[in-house]
Amino acid sequence: DDMYNIHKPKRANIDASGLGHFLPSRLRPMYPDCAMCGMNFSEKRKEGFKNLRTQIYFDLRDQINKGLHFSSEIDARIIGEIEVELYATEYTLDGQTDFKLISKDDIKAKISRSPDVSDSLALACAETGELSQAVVYAGMQRLKSSLKKSPIR
């Protein structure tokens, strides 16, 4: 709640596939001024991409190429985890026209865990085309506090 009150986000992109399918409807009443956008990683939205997960990772790549960077105040361990996850996330061509990320199972086999941190960062960059440093910082701080409770292996 403190992060919400400080940054007052207008939109929250939520991975609503799998266990997260109920989150947008549960969070809307708690944060009525923030659009809760449930996003299903497996659905196809834009030509040239196999699915939404691939599309939002390419959005993240574009943001990085435009100069997205992390504050020096963000825990170096979190930045290291993002780097590991992003380097492990490769893509191929599905047929002749659509980019496709390798599966989460393939990434888990490479790094021995799910790429949850980079998925969260990619969701933050999804569809808006912009990402403020304040939003990145707030998200990274939230991840940092959650890591204290459940350390990444």
Short mmCIF file of all heavy atoms in Angstrom, two decimals, residues 77-143:
data_model
loop_
_atom_site.label_atom_id
_atom_site.label_comp_id
_atom_site.label_asym_id
_atom_site.label_seq_id
_atom_site.Cartn_x
_atom_site.Cartn_y
_atom_site.Cartn_z
N ARG A 77 22.17 -7.64 -6.22
CA ARG A 77 21.75 -9.03 -6.38
C ARG A 77 20.52 -9.14 -7.28
O ARG A 77 20.42 -10.05 -8.11
CB ARG A 77 21.47 -9.65 -5.01
CG ARG A 77 21.25 -11.15 -5.07
CD ARG A 77 21.14 -11.73 -3.71
NE ARG A 77 19.82 -11.43 -3.17
CZ ARG A 77 19.30 -12.04 -2.14
NH1 ARG A 77 19.97 -12.97 -1.50
NH2 ARG A 77 18.09 -11.74 -1.72
N ILE A 78 19.60 -8.21 -7.15
CA ILE A 78 18.40 -8.22 -8.00
C ILE A 78 18.79 -7.95 -9.45
O ILE A 78 18.33 -8.63 -10.36
CB ILE A 78 17.36 -7.18 -7.51
CG1 ILE A 78 16.81 -7.61 -6.14
CG2 ILE A 78 16.22 -7.05 -8.51
CD1 ILE A 78 15.93 -6.58 -5.49
N ILE A 79 19.65 -6.97 -9.65
CA ILE A 79 20.09 -6.67 -11.02
C ILE A 79 20.81 -7.88 -11.60
O ILE A 79 20.61 -8.23 -12.76
CB ILE A 79 20.97 -5.40 -11.04
CG1 ILE A 79 20.09 -4.19 -10.68
CG2 ILE A 79 21.63 -5.22 -12.40
CD1 ILE A 79 20.84 -2.90 -10.48
N GLY A 80 21.61 -8.55 -10.79
CA GLY A 80 22.29 -9.77 -11.25
C GLY A 80 21.30 -10.85 -11.64
O GLY A 80 21.50 -11.55 -12.64
N GLU A 81 20.23 -11.00 -10.87
CA GLU A 81 19.22 -12.01 -11.19
C GLU A 81 18.52 -11.68 -12.51
O GLU A 81 18.25 -12.56 -13.32
CB GLU A 81 18.19 -12.12 -10.06
CG GLU A 81 18.75 -12.66 -8.76
CD GLU A 81 19.32 -14.05 -8.90
OE1 GLU A 81 18.78 -14.88 -9.64
OE2 GLU A 81 20.35 -14.30 -8.24
N ILE A 82 18.24 -10.39 -12.72
CA ILE A 82 17.62 -9.98 -13.98
C ILE A 82 18.54 -10.30 -15.14
O ILE A 82 18.10 -10.85 -16.17
CB ILE A 82 17.27 -8.47 -13.97
CG1 ILE A 82 16.15 -8.20 -12.96
CG2 ILE A 82 16.87 -7.99 -15.36
CD1 ILE A 82 15.91 -6.74 -12.70
N GLU A 83 19.81 -9.99 -15.00
CA GLU A 83 20.77 -10.28 -16.08
C GLU A 83 20.82 -11.76 -16.39
O GLU A 83 20.79 -12.16 -17.56
CB GLU A 83 22.16 -9.77 -15.71
CG GLU A 83 22.26 -8.26 -15.72
CD GLU A 83 23.60 -7.75 -15.20
OE1 GLU A 83 24.37 -8.52 -14.57
OE2 GLU A 83 23.88 -6.56 -15.43
N VAL A 84 20.89 -12.61 -15.35
CA VAL A 84 20.92 -14.05 -15.56
C VAL A 84 19.68 -14.50 -16.33
O VAL A 84 19.76 -15.26 -17.30
CB VAL A 84 21.04 -14.80 -14.21
CG1 VAL A 84 20.74 -16.28 -14.36
CG2 VAL A 84 22.41 -14.58 -13.60
N GLU A 85 18.52 -14.02 -15.90
CA GLU A 85 17.26 -14.42 -16.53
C GLU A 85 17.18 -13.93 -17.98
O GLU A 85 16.75 -14.67 -18.87
CB GLU A 85 16.08 -13.89 -15.73
CG GLU A 85 15.95 -14.57 -14.38
CD GLU A 85 14.83 -14.01 -13.53
OE1 GLU A 85 13.97 -13.25 -14.05
OE2 GLU A 85 14.79 -14.33 -12.33
N LEU A 86 17.58 -12.69 -18.22
CA LEU A 86 17.49 -12.16 -19.59
C LEU A 86 18.46 -12.85 -20.53
O LEU A 86 18.12 -13.13 -21.69
CB LEU A 86 17.71 -10.65 -19.60
CG LEU A 86 16.58 -9.82 -18.97
CD1 LEU A 86 16.94 -8.34 -18.97
CD2 LEU A 86 15.26 -10.05 -19.67
N TYR A 87 19.68 -13.15 -20.07
CA TYR A 87 20.63 -13.87 -20.93
C TYR A 87 20.16 -15.29 -21.23
O TYR A 87 20.45 -15.83 -22.29
CB TYR A 87 22.02 -13.88 -20.31
CG TYR A 87 22.77 -12.58 -20.50
CD1 TYR A 87 23.17 -11.83 -19.40
CD2 TYR A 87 23.05 -12.09 -21.77
CE1 TYR A 87 23.84 -10.64 -19.56
CE2 TYR A 87 23.72 -10.89 -21.94
CZ TYR A 87 24.12 -10.17 -20.84
OH TYR A 87 24.78 -8.98 -21.01
N ALA A 88 19.41 -15.88 -20.30
CA ALA A 88 18.90 -17.24 -20.51
C ALA A 88 17.67 -17.27 -21.42
O ALA A 88 17.31 -18.31 -21.94
CB ALA A 88 18.57 -17.88 -19.17
N THR A 89 17.03 -16.12 -21.61
CA THR A 89 15.80 -16.03 -22.40
C THR A 89 16.15 -15.79 -23.86
O THR A 89 16.34 -14.65 -24.28
CB THR A 89 14.89 -14.92 -21.85
OG1 THR A 89 14.67 -15.15 -20.46
CG2 THR A 89 13.56 -14.90 -22.57
N GLU A 90 16.22 -16.86 -24.61
CA GLU A 90 16.56 -16.78 -26.02
C GLU A 90 15.28 -16.84 -26.86
O GLU A 90 14.22 -17.18 -26.36
CB GLU A 90 17.47 -17.94 -26.39
CG GLU A 90 18.77 -17.94 -25.61
CD GLU A 90 19.60 -19.19 -25.84
OE1 GLU A 90 19.14 -20.10 -26.56
OE2 GLU A 90 20.71 -19.25 -25.31
N TYR A 91 15.41 -16.51 -28.13
CA TYR A 91 14.25 -16.59 -29.01
C TYR A 91 14.61 -17.31 -30.30
O TYR A 91 15.77 -17.44 -30.65
CB TYR A 91 13.66 -15.21 -29.30
CG TYR A 91 14.57 -14.29 -30.08
CD1 TYR A 91 14.55 -14.28 -31.48
CD2 TYR A 91 15.43 -13.43 -29.44
CE1 TYR A 91 15.38 -13.44 -32.20
CE2 TYR A 91 16.26 -12.58 -30.16
CZ TYR A 91 16.24 -12.60 -31.53
OH TYR A 91 17.06 -11.76 -32.24
N THR A 92 13.58 -17.79 -30.96
CA THR A 92 13.71 -18.46 -32.25
C THR A 92 12.62 -17.91 -33.17
O THR A 92 11.83 -17.07 -32.75
CB THR A 92 13.53 -19.99 -32.10
OG1 THR A 92 12.21 -20.24 -31.60
CG2 THR A 92 14.54 -20.60 -31.16
N LEU A 93 12.58 -18.42 -34.37
CA LEU A 93 11.47 -18.12 -35.26
C LEU A 93 10.53 -19.30 -35.28
O LEU A 93 10.97 -20.44 -35.40
CB LEU A 93 11.96 -17.84 -36.68
CG LEU A 93 12.45 -16.43 -36.97
CD1 LEU A 93 13.00 -16.34 -38.39
CD2 LEU A 93 11.35 -15.40 -36.76
N ASP A 94 9.25 -19.03 -35.11
CA ASP A 94 8.23 -20.05 -35.17
C ASP A 94 7.68 -20.02 -36.60
O ASP A 94 6.98 -19.10 -36.98
CB ASP A 94 7.12 -19.74 -34.16
CG ASP A 94 6.06 -20.79 -34.13
OD1 ASP A 94 6.41 -21.99 -34.14
OD2 ASP A 94 4.87 -20.42 -34.12
N GLY A 95 8.05 -21.00 -37.39
CA GLY A 95 7.70 -20.94 -38.81
C GLY A 95 8.62 -19.94 -39.48
O GLY A 95 9.81 -19.91 -39.22
N GLN A 96 8.05 -19.07 -40.29
CA GLN A 96 8.88 -18.09 -40.99
C GLN A 96 8.61 -16.65 -40.58
O GLN A 96 9.32 -15.75 -41.00
CB GLN A 96 8.65 -18.22 -42.50
CG GLN A 96 9.13 -19.54 -43.04
CD GLN A 96 8.95 -19.61 -44.56
OE1 GLN A 96 8.38 -18.73 -45.17
NE2 GLN A 96 9.45 -20.68 -45.14
N THR A 97 7.60 -16.42 -39.74
CA THR A 97 7.23 -15.03 -39.49
C THR A 97 7.19 -14.62 -38.03
O THR A 97 7.36 -13.44 -37.73
CB THR A 97 5.84 -14.74 -40.09
OG1 THR A 97 4.89 -15.63 -39.51
CG2 THR A 97 5.85 -14.90 -41.59
N ASP A 98 6.95 -15.51 -37.10
CA ASP A 98 6.75 -15.12 -35.71
C ASP A 98 7.96 -15.42 -34.84
O ASP A 98 8.50 -16.53 -34.86
CB ASP A 98 5.55 -15.86 -35.11
CG ASP A 98 4.23 -15.37 -35.65
OD1 ASP A 98 4.20 -14.31 -36.28
OD2 ASP A 98 3.22 -16.06 -35.42
N PHE A 99 8.38 -14.40 -34.03
CA PHE A 99 9.39 -14.63 -33.02
C PHE A 99 8.75 -15.41 -31.88
O PHE A 99 7.57 -15.22 -31.57
CB PHE A 99 9.93 -13.30 -32.48
CG PHE A 99 10.83 -12.60 -33.44
CD1 PHE A 99 10.39 -11.47 -34.10
CD2 PHE A 99 12.11 -13.06 -33.70
CE1 PHE A 99 11.22 -10.79 -35.00
CE2 PHE A 99 12.94 -12.40 -34.58
CZ PHE A 99 12.49 -11.27 -35.23
N LYS A 100 9.53 -16.27 -31.25
CA LYS A 100 9.03 -17.09 -30.15
C LYS A 100 10.15 -17.23 -29.12
O LYS A 100 11.28 -17.57 -29.47
CB LYS A 100 8.64 -18.47 -30.67
CG LYS A 100 8.22 -19.44 -29.61
CD LYS A 100 7.97 -20.81 -30.20
CE LYS A 100 7.68 -21.81 -29.10
NZ LYS A 100 7.57 -23.16 -29.61
N LEU A 101 9.83 -16.95 -27.84
CA LEU A 101 10.80 -17.18 -26.78
C LEU A 101 10.90 -18.66 -26.49
O LEU A 101 9.92 -19.40 -26.65
CB LEU A 101 10.39 -16.46 -25.49
CG LEU A 101 10.39 -14.94 -25.50
CD1 LEU A 101 10.01 -14.42 -24.12
CD2 LEU A 101 11.71 -14.36 -25.93
N ILE A 102 12.07 -19.07 -26.00
CA ILE A 102 12.17 -20.46 -25.55
C ILE A 102 11.24 -20.62 -24.35
O ILE A 102 10.86 -19.64 -23.71
CB ILE A 102 13.62 -20.87 -25.21
CG1 ILE A 102 14.18 -20.04 -24.06
CG2 ILE A 102 14.50 -20.77 -26.45
CD1 ILE A 102 15.53 -20.53 -23.55
N SER A 103 10.86 -21.82 -24.04
CA SER A 103 9.88 -22.06 -22.98
C SER A 103 10.46 -21.75 -21.59
O SER A 103 11.67 -21.76 -21.38
CB SER A 103 9.41 -23.51 -23.01
OG SER A 103 10.44 -24.36 -22.55
N LYS A 104 9.56 -21.49 -20.66
CA LYS A 104 9.98 -21.28 -19.28
C LYS A 104 10.68 -22.52 -18.75
O LYS A 104 11.62 -22.41 -17.96
CB LYS A 104 8.79 -20.91 -18.40
CG LYS A 104 8.40 -19.47 -18.49
CD LYS A 104 7.43 -19.13 -17.37
CE LYS A 104 7.18 -17.66 -17.33
NZ LYS A 104 6.38 -17.27 -16.18
N ASP A 105 10.22 -23.70 -19.16
CA ASP A 105 10.89 -24.93 -18.72
C ASP A 105 12.33 -24.98 -19.19
O ASP A 105 13.22 -25.41 -18.45
CB ASP A 105 10.13 -26.17 -19.21
CG ASP A 105 8.82 -26.38 -18.46
OD1 ASP A 105 8.68 -25.87 -17.33
OD2 ASP A 105 7.93 -27.06 -19.02
N ASP A 106 12.59 -24.52 -20.41
CA ASP A 106 13.97 -24.48 -20.92
C ASP A 106 14.81 -23.48 -20.12
O ASP A 106 15.98 -23.74 -19.82
CB ASP A 106 14.00 -24.10 -22.40
CG ASP A 106 13.48 -25.21 -23.30
OD1 ASP A 106 13.40 -26.38 -22.86
OD2 ASP A 106 13.14 -24.91 -24.47
N ILE A 107 14.21 -22.35 -19.77
CA ILE A 107 14.94 -21.36 -18.97
C ILE A 107 15.21 -21.93 -17.58
O ILE A 107 16.32 -21.81 -17.05
CB ILE A 107 14.15 -20.04 -18.88
CG1 ILE A 107 14.03 -19.41 -20.27
CG2 ILE A 107 14.81 -19.07 -17.90
CD1 ILE A 107 13.08 -18.24 -20.35
N LYS A 108 14.21 -22.58 -16.99
CA LYS A 108 14.39 -23.20 -15.67
C LYS A 108 15.51 -24.23 -15.69
O LYS A 108 16.29 -24.32 -14.74
CB LYS A 108 13.09 -23.86 -15.20
CG LYS A 108 12.01 -22.88 -14.82
CD LYS A 108 10.72 -23.64 -14.46
CE LYS A 108 9.56 -22.71 -14.34
NZ LYS A 108 8.29 -23.41 -14.09
N ALA A 109 15.61 -24.98 -16.78
CA ALA A 109 16.69 -25.97 -16.91
C ALA A 109 18.06 -25.29 -16.95
O ALA A 109 19.04 -25.82 -16.43
CB ALA A 109 16.48 -26.83 -18.15
N LYS A 110 18.12 -24.12 -17.55
CA LYS A 110 19.39 -23.39 -17.66
C LYS A 110 19.82 -22.75 -16.34
O LYS A 110 20.99 -22.76 -16.00
CB LYS A 110 19.29 -22.27 -18.70
CG LYS A 110 19.28 -22.70 -20.11
CD LYS A 110 19.21 -21.45 -20.97
CE LYS A 110 19.29 -21.77 -22.43
NZ LYS A 110 19.39 -20.55 -23.23
N ILE A 111 18.86 -22.14 -15.63
CA ILE A 111 19.23 -21.34 -14.45
C ILE A 111 18.68 -21.91 -13.13
O ILE A 111 18.85 -21.30 -12.08
CB ILE A 111 18.79 -19.87 -14.62
CG1 ILE A 111 17.27 -19.71 -14.71
CG2 ILE A 111 19.49 -19.25 -15.82
CD1 ILE A 111 16.79 -18.27 -14.71
N SER A 112 18.03 -23.04 -13.20
CA SER A 112 17.52 -23.75 -12.01
C SER A 112 16.43 -23.00 -11.25
O SER A 112 16.26 -23.19 -10.04
CB SER A 112 18.66 -24.11 -11.06
OG SER A 112 19.62 -24.89 -11.72
N ARG A 113 15.71 -22.13 -11.93
CA ARG A 113 14.58 -21.43 -11.31
C ARG A 113 13.76 -20.76 -12.41
O ARG A 113 14.20 -20.66 -13.55
CB ARG A 113 15.04 -20.41 -10.28
CG ARG A 113 15.91 -19.32 -10.85
CD ARG A 113 16.40 -18.36 -9.77
NE ARG A 113 17.37 -17.45 -10.29
CZ ARG A 113 17.11 -16.42 -11.08
NH1 ARG A 113 15.87 -16.16 -11.42
NH2 ARG A 113 18.06 -15.63 -11.52
N SER A 114 12.60 -20.30 -12.04
CA SER A 114 11.72 -19.61 -12.98
C SER A 114 12.20 -18.16 -13.19
O SER A 114 12.71 -17.55 -12.25
CB SER A 114 10.30 -19.61 -12.43
OG SER A 114 9.42 -18.99 -13.31
N PRO A 115 12.01 -17.60 -14.38
CA PRO A 115 12.43 -16.22 -14.65
C PRO A 115 11.41 -15.19 -14.18
O PRO A 115 10.99 -14.29 -14.93
CB PRO A 115 12.59 -16.21 -16.17
CG PRO A 115 11.54 -17.17 -16.64
CD PRO A 115 11.54 -18.27 -15.60
N ASP A 116 11.00 -15.27 -12.93
CA ASP A 116 9.93 -14.42 -12.42
C ASP A 116 10.29 -12.94 -12.37
O ASP A 116 9.44 -12.08 -12.59
CB ASP A 116 9.50 -14.88 -11.02
CG ASP A 116 8.88 -16.26 -11.05
OD1 ASP A 116 8.31 -16.65 -12.09
OD2 ASP A 116 8.96 -16.96 -10.03
N VAL A 117 11.55 -12.63 -12.05
CA VAL A 117 11.94 -11.23 -11.94
C VAL A 117 11.91 -10.56 -13.31
O VAL A 117 11.36 -9.47 -13.47
CB VAL A 117 13.33 -11.09 -11.27
CG1 VAL A 117 13.73 -9.63 -11.15
CG2 VAL A 117 13.33 -11.74 -9.89
N SER A 118 12.47 -11.22 -14.32
CA SER A 118 12.45 -10.61 -15.66
C SER A 118 11.03 -10.60 -16.24
O SER A 118 10.66 -9.68 -16.96
CB SER A 118 13.43 -11.30 -16.61
OG SER A 118 13.13 -12.66 -16.77
N ASP A 119 10.21 -11.59 -15.90
CA ASP A 119 8.80 -11.55 -16.32
C ASP A 119 8.11 -10.31 -15.74
O ASP A 119 7.37 -9.62 -16.43
CB ASP A 119 8.05 -12.80 -15.84
CG ASP A 119 8.26 -14.01 -16.74
OD1 ASP A 119 8.92 -13.90 -17.79
OD2 ASP A 119 7.75 -15.09 -16.37
N SER A 120 8.38 -10.02 -14.47
CA SER A 120 7.77 -8.84 -13.83
C SER A 120 8.23 -7.56 -14.49
O SER A 120 7.43 -6.64 -14.73
CB SER A 120 8.13 -8.80 -12.34
OG SER A 120 7.60 -9.92 -11.69
N LEU A 121 9.51 -7.48 -14.79
CA LEU A 121 10.04 -6.29 -15.44
C LEU A 121 9.45 -6.14 -16.85
O LEU A 121 9.07 -5.04 -17.25
CB LEU A 121 11.57 -6.37 -15.51
CG LEU A 121 12.28 -5.16 -16.07
CD1 LEU A 121 11.96 -3.90 -15.26
CD2 LEU A 121 13.77 -5.41 -16.10
N ALA A 122 9.34 -7.24 -17.58
CA ALA A 122 8.75 -7.19 -18.92
C ALA A 122 7.29 -6.77 -18.85
O ALA A 122 6.82 -5.98 -19.68
CB ALA A 122 8.89 -8.55 -19.62
N LEU A 123 6.56 -7.25 -17.85
CA LEU A 123 5.17 -6.82 -17.68
C LEU A 123 5.08 -5.32 -17.42
O LEU A 123 4.17 -4.65 -17.90
CB LEU A 123 4.51 -7.59 -16.52
CG LEU A 123 3.95 -8.95 -16.86
CD1 LEU A 123 3.63 -9.72 -15.59
CD2 LEU A 123 2.73 -8.85 -17.74
N ALA A 124 6.03 -4.79 -16.66
CA ALA A 124 6.03 -3.35 -16.37
C ALA A 124 6.22 -2.53 -17.64
O ALA A 124 5.71 -1.42 -17.75
CB ALA A 124 7.12 -3.01 -15.35
N CYS A 125 6.95 -3.08 -18.62
CA CYS A 125 7.20 -2.37 -19.88
C CYS A 125 6.12 -2.61 -20.92
O CYS A 125 6.09 -1.94 -21.94
CB CYS A 125 8.54 -2.81 -20.47
SG CYS A 125 9.95 -2.23 -19.55
N ALA A 126 5.25 -3.55 -20.69
CA ALA A 126 4.29 -3.99 -21.70
C ALA A 126 3.32 -2.89 -22.09
O ALA A 126 2.78 -2.19 -21.24
CB ALA A 126 3.51 -5.19 -21.20
N GLU A 127 3.12 -2.75 -23.38
CA GLU A 127 2.10 -1.92 -24.01
C GLU A 127 2.19 -0.43 -23.80
O GLU A 127 1.75 0.32 -24.64
CB GLU A 127 0.69 -2.40 -23.62
CG GLU A 127 0.36 -3.72 -24.23
CD GLU A 127 -1.11 -4.05 -24.11
OE1 GLU A 127 -1.92 -3.16 -23.81
OE2 GLU A 127 -1.45 -5.20 -24.34
N THR A 128 2.76 0.05 -22.72
CA THR A 128 2.78 1.49 -22.50
C THR A 128 3.83 2.16 -23.36
O THR A 128 3.68 3.33 -23.70
CB THR A 128 3.08 1.82 -21.02
OG1 THR A 128 4.39 1.35 -20.71
CG2 THR A 128 2.06 1.19 -20.11
N GLY A 129 4.89 1.44 -23.70
CA GLY A 129 5.97 2.04 -24.47
C GLY A 129 6.84 2.95 -23.65
O GLY A 129 7.83 3.46 -24.11
N GLU A 130 6.49 3.17 -22.40
CA GLU A 130 7.27 4.02 -21.52
C GLU A 130 7.34 3.38 -20.15
O GLU A 130 6.45 2.66 -19.74
CB GLU A 130 6.62 5.40 -21.37
CG GLU A 130 6.52 6.17 -22.65
CD GLU A 130 5.79 7.48 -22.44
OE1 GLU A 130 5.61 7.91 -21.30
OE2 GLU A 130 5.40 8.06 -23.45
N LEU A 131 8.40 3.69 -19.46
CA LEU A 131 8.55 3.17 -18.10
C LEU A 131 9.36 4.19 -17.32
O LEU A 131 10.48 4.49 -17.67
CB LEU A 131 9.28 1.83 -18.13
CG LEU A 131 9.43 1.10 -16.82
CD1 LEU A 131 8.06 0.69 -16.29
CD2 LEU A 131 10.30 -0.10 -16.97
N SER A 132 8.77 4.75 -16.28
CA SER A 132 9.49 5.74 -15.51
C SER A 132 10.48 5.07 -14.56
O SER A 132 10.27 3.94 -14.13
CB SER A 132 8.52 6.60 -14.70
OG SER A 132 7.99 5.86 -13.63
N GLN A 133 11.52 5.78 -14.24
CA GLN A 133 12.50 5.27 -13.29
C GLN A 133 11.84 5.01 -11.94
O GLN A 133 12.19 4.08 -11.24
CB GLN A 133 13.67 6.24 -13.14
CG GLN A 133 14.62 6.23 -14.31
CD GLN A 133 15.24 4.87 -14.54
OE1 GLN A 133 15.02 4.25 -15.56
NE2 GLN A 133 16.00 4.38 -13.61
N ALA A 134 10.87 5.84 -11.57
CA ALA A 134 10.19 5.65 -10.29
C ALA A 134 9.46 4.31 -10.24
O ALA A 134 9.49 3.61 -9.23
CB ALA A 134 9.20 6.79 -10.05
N VAL A 135 8.85 3.93 -11.35
CA VAL A 135 8.14 2.64 -11.40
C VAL A 135 9.13 1.49 -11.31
O VAL A 135 8.92 0.53 -10.57
CB VAL A 135 7.29 2.54 -12.68
CG1 VAL A 135 6.72 1.15 -12.85
CG2 VAL A 135 6.18 3.56 -12.65
N VAL A 136 10.25 1.59 -12.04
CA VAL A 136 11.26 0.54 -11.98
C VAL A 136 11.81 0.44 -10.56
O VAL A 136 11.92 -0.65 -10.00
CB VAL A 136 12.42 0.80 -12.98
CG1 VAL A 136 13.57 -0.15 -12.75
CG2 VAL A 136 11.91 0.68 -14.40
N TYR A 137 12.15 1.58 -9.96
CA TYR A 137 12.71 1.58 -8.62
C TYR A 137 11.74 0.97 -7.61
O TYR A 137 12.11 0.14 -6.80
CB TYR A 137 13.08 3.01 -8.20
CG TYR A 137 13.69 3.07 -6.83
CD1 TYR A 137 15.00 2.66 -6.63
CD2 TYR A 137 12.96 3.51 -5.74
CE1 TYR A 137 15.56 2.70 -5.37
CE2 TYR A 137 13.51 3.55 -4.48
CZ TYR A 137 14.81 3.15 -4.30
OH TYR A 137 15.36 3.16 -3.05
N ALA A 138 10.47 1.37 -7.69
CA ALA A 138 9.47 0.84 -6.77
C ALA A 138 9.34 -0.68 -6.93
O ALA A 138 9.28 -1.41 -5.93
CB ALA A 138 8.12 1.52 -7.00
N GLY A 139 9.30 -1.15 -8.16
CA GLY A 139 9.20 -2.58 -8.40
C GLY A 139 10.40 -3.34 -7.90
O GLY A 139 10.28 -4.41 -7.30
N MET A 140 11.58 -2.79 -8.11
CA MET A 140 12.80 -3.46 -7.65
C MET A 140 12.88 -3.47 -6.13
O MET A 140 13.33 -4.44 -5.53
CB MET A 140 14.04 -2.78 -8.24
CG MET A 140 14.18 -2.92 -9.74
SD MET A 140 14.32 -4.65 -10.27
CE MET A 140 12.80 -4.86 -11.15
N GLN A 141 12.45 -2.39 -5.49
CA GLN A 141 12.45 -2.36 -4.02
C GLN A 141 11.49 -3.41 -3.47
O GLN A 141 11.77 -4.07 -2.48
CB GLN A 141 12.09 -0.97 -3.51
CG GLN A 141 13.16 0.06 -3.77
CD GLN A 141 14.46 -0.32 -3.10
OE1 GLN A 141 15.27 -1.07 -3.65
NE2 GLN A 141 14.69 0.19 -1.93
N ARG A 142 10.35 -3.57 -4.13
CA ARG A 142 9.37 -4.58 -3.70
C ARG A 142 9.96 -5.97 -3.85
O ARG A 142 9.81 -6.82 -2.98
CB ARG A 142 8.11 -4.43 -4.52
CG ARG A 142 6.94 -5.20 -3.99
CD ARG A 142 5.73 -4.30 -4.21
NE ARG A 142 4.49 -4.83 -3.78
CZ ARG A 142 4.01 -4.67 -2.56
NH1 ARG A 142 4.71 -4.07 -1.64
NH2 ARG A 142 2.82 -5.12 -2.26
N LEU A 143 10.65 -6.20 -4.96
CA LEU A 143 11.31 -7.49 -5.16
C LEU A 143 12.38 -7.70 -4.10
O LEU A 143 12.52 -8.80 -3.56
CB LEU A 143 11.94 -7.57 -6.55
CG LEU A 143 10.99 -7.77 -7.70
CD1 LEU A 143 11.70 -7.56 -9.02
CD2 LEU A 143 10.38 -9.16 -7.65
#
